């Protein structure tokens, strides 16, 4: 395991309060019932544009109209709603101290990602960082991890994808990359197990145990 490729939202950071606040704002702006949020949350982990198409296309709402309403929330001003999961800053620091290389493979756009990383003091922790701005096809297409391989010169089996959504794990499987599922994000264990991860970590303590055992191997 020469590189750990982390998902960001729902894996390293509990961004659900921020995501739900943005969704609530968009639904209120559009005059849609808050109940639509439950359908929208099913697509967290995909690029936001894909989640909007999947949720609002069947409702007959224009994608650009919904995206404009969602982005009018002012996410940057509400990033105080986001926090790393308990134990994650310490785990990242420990892995870095051991010389473990780490990257990020995310559906979050580059500008907010770098801003949020700076907020947590993580700017120097990850290389490479692959976002939807770098690829033509977002998760679960394997292009993100294929680009990570191209930038690092690593083989698929030398990378470990850590994520909290089926989209992360399906991307890894399509790229031939082993994966590790975490359970403190948006999806239940059953949904993640169906995607064939190498292991499942219900919380950060279990995640630490698994990763350190593999690093030592």
């Amino acid at each position: 395991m020469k590189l750990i490729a982390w998902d960001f939202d729902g894996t390293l950071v509990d961004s659900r309060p921020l995501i739900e606040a943005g969704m609530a704002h968009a639904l209120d702006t559009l005059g849609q019932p808050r109940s639509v949020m439950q359908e929208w949350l099913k697509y967290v982990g995909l690029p936001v544009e894909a989640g909007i198409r999947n949720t609002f296309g069947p409702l007959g709402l224009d994608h650009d109209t919904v995206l404009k309403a969602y982005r009018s929330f002012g996410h940057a001003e509400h990033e105080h709603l986001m926090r790393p999961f308990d134990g994650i800053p310490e785990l990242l620091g420990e892995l870095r101290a051991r010389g473990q290389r780490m990257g990020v493979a995310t559906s979050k756009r580059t500008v907010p990602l770098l801003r949020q990383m700076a907020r947590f003091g993580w700017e120097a922790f990850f290389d490479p960082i692959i976002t939807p701005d770098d690829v033509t096809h977002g998760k679960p297409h394997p292009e993100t991890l294929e680009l990570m391989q191209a930038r690092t010169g690593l083989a698929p089996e030398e990378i470990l994808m850590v994520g909290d959504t089926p989209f992360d794990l399906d991307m890894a499987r399509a790229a031939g990359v082993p994966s590790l599922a975490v359970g403190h994000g948006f999806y239940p264990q059953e949904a993640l197990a169906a995607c064939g991860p190498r292991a499942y970590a219900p919380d950060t303590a279990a995640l630490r145990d698994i990763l350190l055992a593999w690093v030592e191997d």
Side-chain angles (χ1 to χ4, degrees), residues 37-181:
M37 189 185 299
Q38 294 308 308
E39 178 67 19
W40 200 352
L41 286 169
K42 293 178 183 178
Y43 304 109
V44 171
L46 294 175
V48 65
E49 295 85 354
I52 287 173
R53 281 193 298 270
N54 292 342
T55 304
F56 294 95
L59 300 179
L61 272 73
D62 176 70
H63 166 273
D64 291 342
T65 300
V66 178
L67 184 61
K68 182 178 179 180
Y70 182 67
R71 288 182 170 164
S72 71
F73 173 63
H75 289 77
E77 290 76 31
H78 293 83
E79 286 178 353
H80 61 277
L81 297 172
M82 299 176 60
R83 287 185 173 83
F85 287 105
D86 289 345
I88 286 293
E90 294 80 5
L91 175 58
L92 293 178
E94 187 173 4
L95 289 168
R96 189 164 185 258
R98 289 171 174 259
Q100 176 63 53
R101 188 174 183 183
M102 297 183 288
V104 168
T106 179
S107 292
K108 185 185 290 290
R109 295 287 178 178
T110 303
V111 169
L113 175 68
L114 295 181
R115 184 179 63 240
Q116 291 160 17
M117 282 186 176
R119 181 183 183 90
F120 303 131
W122 294 349
E123 305 99 307
F125 279 36
F126 306 106
D127 179 38
I129 294 170
I130 312 294
T131 80
D133 296 315
D134 301 305
V135 298
T136 302
H137 307 288
K139 298 177 184 179
H141 192 279
E143 184 181 357
T144 295
L145 289 177
E146 290 170 348
L147 179 57
M148 189 166 282
Q149 294 168 48
R151 289 188 178 179
T152 61
L154 296 176
E157 63 271 14
E158 295 176 314
I159 300 172
L160 175 70
M161 180 68 211
V162 182
D164 72 301
T165 75
F167 312 117
D168 298 319
L169 307 182
D170 285 342
M171 172 183 66
R173 183 162 53 182
V177 170
S179 64
L180 170 58

